[in-house]
Amino acid sequence: MKKTVYFLAMIAIAMLMAACAGDDPVTSSSDSTAGDSSNTGGSSLSSADAALTGDLASFDIAIDKCTLNETIDAVPDATDTYYEDYVENFAPTATISISYNGTSASVYGEAENVTVTVDGADVTVNSEAEYIAYELNGTTTDGSFKIYSTKKFELILNGVSITNPTGAAVNNQGKRAYVVLNGENSLSDSSSAYNTVDGEDEKGTFFSEGKLVFSGTGSLSVSSNYKNGIVSDDYIYIRPLTNIYVKSASGHCLKSNEGVIMKGGVVNLETSATAGKGIKTDGEVQISGGRLIAITTGGGEYDSSESDVSAAAGIKVVGNITITDGEVQVKSTGSGGKGISTDAEFIMKGGAVYAITEGSTYKYSSSLDSKAKGIKSDGNMTIAGGQIMVRALGGEGSEGIETKGTLNISAGSIGTYTYDDGINSAGNMTVTGGYVYSYATGNDGIDANGNITISGGVVIGLGANSPEEGIDVAEQKTMQWNGGTIIGLGGGGESVSGSQQKAAVSGVSVTKNNYLVVSSGSTVLFALKAPRSFSSSTMQVSSPQFASGTTYTLSTASSVSGTDFYGFISDATVSSMSSLASFTTSTSISGGMGGGMGGGNQPGGGGGPGRW
């Protein structure tokens, strides 16, 4: 029977996939225009790398229930940590079927040490049996399923729709539940206070004291009206092929004490609650597949239990966030909202993260506020692969990527477009590889309160007018460029040392959407499209292509073609250029934002200190 259900579900998935576009929220970037091949240079950016980019100004995030082309994950053996989270590793000793029909429910099947009582359409199970499967089907607008089980059990949602006007639709007061989704299922709770039993928790529409492990090829839609959506006092585990949608009007969508693990599947979360979270957990979040979309629209509030302010967030975690694969899309439109926020470390090794915040700062008092951030970690941040796109344009404090620890980037593609700092670290910032583009309209493109060391990759930092900078470090801190292609463009420029040849040119002016082009004789090394007009700005630049003590030319051009990384063209083809200045490279450059065109060591004025 299970094989037949699985086969039919796979046919349904194939039909749904045909009907769904399933597009990414970004489109291919096409900033460059065609030109002739009169000036060409070496390439350091492949078309595969550029394919990861998109339009930072216009990409959007919306609920997308379309299924993914996934395969079921491998079932682990008994040596694996999560062996007991796979329903395939256990055979039920009996199956009890419960059919809902309006205001009544019928029970089929029985098992030793299992008692099922029915009151209208409210079904209560008391079980001490080793392993029982409960299959729910049918529809009720005034019912529930509640279970007390001393042993783990299987809960098959087989085309069931439950609305409970007095509490949770599904309430597990027992052990681990293997939730197998077949067909379309829906759960809804009360819009008023729950009628709970004294001494029992009942924190959401689908509540569980034990672990919740979701599998199967069906879907589950949860409408939360009074509390949270899906809640576990342990952890929530989501496997490939599942399709879960949670909409919460008054709380969080997914809430757990111990963590959320997503191996695959499609999860859509949206909450309009004040300070509502798509995912909220006191544990860790691990994402290694699937597509997660979390959208929040609520504003901030004062949390008296914490004596602090709280704002909405797509993902809010006390422990670490680790992303190794899959796609994460988060959008927060309320005041002070975050895309992703962790009290510990943010670690990304693969996959894709798209984050949008649109709200301004939420202010409770002169000393308590919450600022909008795309990705925020109180601990260290490590980016070692994957793609990140962030837009945060809510005014002062709205930053793209912020860590209160150190930031280490070794691979991947990062693009930020913000009002405040695009990328900000309280500690040291180290870049050894990858592609980084960070544009801030009101502050520094890249800012560290510690030291900055860049020894590889492509790093582009574009900041606002004086005193802001493209790439900035705090006073008494140092900036070293030892490798990679690096461009800092803003009102001023920092003093930079390091082994690689570099230069600073002050007084740079370029019109929006035109290009700054660096060349040597007739050879174009690379070009950069200006996202806004820069006037009397400072450009600091370094490249592995620079030779010691060599003079290069900085020009402007209106038309450039080549492989595009957010307007950075490494294999640039330029039809015509207008020379701005010449510069000579050195192993160190002085900070400044003074007047005329300058060479590699020409001072100008000092950039402002790093800002937190």
Side-chain angles (χ1 to χ4, degrees):
M1 180 63 182
K2 283 189 176 181
K3 289 184 178 179
T4 302
V5 171
Y6 180 82
F7 176 72
L8 293 174
M10 291 304 293
I11 292 176
I13 288 173
M15 295 174 64
L16 181 59
M17 288 180 64
C20 286
D23 292 333
D24 284 340
V26 294
T27 56
S28 299
S29 179
S30 57
D31 290 337
S32 56
T33 55
D36 64 30
S37 57
S38 58
N39 296 299
T40 60
S43 174
S44 61
L45 181 69
S46 71
S47 59
D49 296 317
L52 294 175
T53 69
D55 190 342
L56 287 167
S58 65
F59 83 96
D60 202 4
I61 292 169
I63 296 299
D64 183 358
K65 298 180 183 179
C66 292
T67 58
L68 298 171
N69 185 19
E70 295 182 302
T71 57
I72 194 167
D73 50 337
V75 178
D77 59 29
T79 63
D80 191 276
T81 302
Y82 298 105
Y83 171 81
E84 292 193 358
D85 287 322
Y86 283 71
V87 66
E88 296 90 339
N89 287 325
F90 303 92
T93 57
T95 299
I96 297 175
S97 179
I98 299 165
S99 295
Y100 291 93
N101 184 10
T103 57
S104 65
S106 301
V107 180
Y108 304 93
E110 58 183 23
E112 188 176 355
N113 296 321
V114 177
T115 302
V116 182
T117 58
V118 179
D119 181 8
D122 293 315
V123 179
T124 303
V125 175
N126 286 272
S127 173
E128 296 181 357
E130 180 61 32
Y131 182 57
I132 304 294
Y134 303 92
E135 181 180 355
L136 310 186
N137 61 75
T139 300
T140 177
T141 57
D142 187 7
S144 64
F145 177 80
K146 186 175 186 179
I147 182 168
Y148 300 87
S149 179
T150 60
K151 308 291 184 182
K152 55 183 175 286
F153 62 93
E154 181 178 356
L155 180 62
I156 304 168
L157 303 185
N158 192 14
V160 69
S161 176
I162 301 174
T163 296
N164 184 2
T166 59
V170 174
N171 185 353
N172 171 28
Q173 292 293 321
K175 295 291 185 178
R176 180 195 326 254
Y178 301 99
V179 184
V180 181
L181 304 180
N182 290 330
E184 296 182 1
N185 304 277
S186 64
L187 304 174
S188 181
D189 67 353
S190 167
S191 60
S192 58
Y194 284 9
N195 183 18
T196 57
V197 176
D198 288 344
E200 291 184 1
D201 287 330
E202 194 172 347
K203 302 173 183 175
T205 311
F206 189 154
F207 173 71
S208 178
E209 287 282 356
K211 303 174 180 68
L212 286 176
V213 183
F214 290 92
S215 64
T217 58
S219 66
L220 172 62
S221 178
V222 177
S223 177
S224 172
N225 300 297
Y226 179 65
K227 292 190 177 181
N228 307 295
I230 298 175
V231 183
S232 170
D233 274 353
D234 206 291
Y235 61 74
I236 298 172
Y237 195 108
I238 300 170
R239 295 177 56 192
L241 303 179
T242 56
N243 198 313
I244 298 171
Y245 170 67
V246 182
K247 185 173 185 178
S248 177
S250 57
H252 313 308
C253 295
L254 293 187
K255 184 178 184 296
S256 76
N257 287 349
E258 301 299 326
V260 175
I261 301 167
M262 185 171 174
K263 302 285 285 188
V266 173
V267 178
N268 285 277
L269 311 171
E270 54 180 331
T271 174
S272 56
T274 300
K277 315 295 193 291
I279 292 178
K280 186 179 189 302
T281 177
D282 293 336
E284 297 188 357
V285 166
Q286 300 174 25
I287 298 173
S288 57
R291 181 179 66 237
L292 168 67
I293 299 175
I295 298 175
T296 70
T297 58
E301 66 179 2
Y302 177 73
D303 186 343
S304 58
S305 65
E306 299 290 337
S307 299
D308 202 356
V309 295
S310 178
I315 302 175
K316 172 59 180 174
V317 184
V318 173
N320 293 340
I321 296 176
T322 303
I323 301 172
T324 57
D325 203 351
E327 188 173 294
V328 178
Q329 304 177 32
V330 287
K331 182 178 181 179
S332 178
T333 61
S335 59
K338 311 288 192 298
I340 297 175
S341 178
T342 170
D343 296 347
E345 295 189 25
F346 177 86
I347 302 162
M348 184 166 177
K349 299 180 180 179
V353 173
Y354 307 117
I356 298 173
T357 65
E358 296 180 349
S360 59
T361 297
Y362 168 73
K363 293 184 178 180
Y364 175 75
S365 67
S366 59
S367 60
L368 291 175
D369 61 28
S370 175
K371 295 179 171 60
K373 313 284 181 181
I375 303 173
K376 175 184 176 293
S377 68
D378 287 350
N380 297 332
M381 186 176 292
T382 300
I383 300 171
Q387 179 190 10
I388 295 175
M389 291 179 66
V390 180
R391 183 171 69 247
L393 299 175
E396 184 178 354
S398 56
E399 297 181 324
I401 297 174
E402 179 198 63
T403 171
K404 293 185 178 179
T406 61
L407 173 60
N408 295 286
I409 301 170
S410 60
S413 167
I414 302 169
T416 69
Y417 174 36
T418 63
Y419 176 85
D420 216 314
D421 294 337
I423 299 175
N424 183 301
S425 69
N428 294 335
M429 185 184 301
T430 303
V431 182
T432 58
Y435 299 87
V436 180
Y437 174 92
S438 187
Y439 168 43
T441 63
N443 212 325
D444 300 317
I446 298 172
D447 181 24
N449 275 28
N451 304 314
I452 294 180
T453 302
I454 303 173
S455 57
V458 173
V459 180
I460 313 295
L462 308 178
N465 296 328
S466 175
E468 316 307 345
E469 302 175 5
I471 305 175
D472 181 36
V473 293
E475 293 180 354
Q476 311 304 318
K477 301 297 180 180
T478 62
M479 189 185 303
Q480 287 200 347
W481 293 357
N482 299 321
T485 299
I486 309 163
I487 299 175
L489 178 61
E494 291 283 348
S495 297
V496 186
S497 61
S499 58
Q500 184 168 269
Q501 297 295 311
K502 58 191 73 68
V505 183
S506 58
V508 173
S509 297
V510 60
T511 303
K512 178 181 178 179
N513 292 331
N514 281 358
Y515 291 83
L516 291 168
V517 182
V518 176
S519 60
S520 176
S522 61
T523 302
V524 173
L525 303 185
F526 46 82
L528 176 67
K529 186 176 183 179
R532 66 174 178 88
S533 294
F534 289 84
S535 179
S536 298
S537 299
T538 296
M539 178 175 178
Q540 296 179 299
V541 60
S542 182
S543 170
Q545 297 172 274
F546 285 172
S548 175
T550 302
T551 299
Y552 296 86
T553 302
L554 179 66
S555 305
T556 60
S558 59
S559 176
V560 176
S561 64
T563 307
D564 191 342
F565 175 71
Y566 296 119
F568 172 77
I569 313 295
S570 57
D571 53 351
T573 299
V574 185
S575 57
S576 62
M577 298 180 289
S578 177
S579 177
L580 282 178
S582 61
F583 59 87
T584 303
T585 58
S586 173
T587 55
S588 65
I589 54 178
S590 300
M593 48 191 180
M597 297 297 181
N601 290 312
Q602 179 169 336
R611 294 186 175 183
W612 179 236

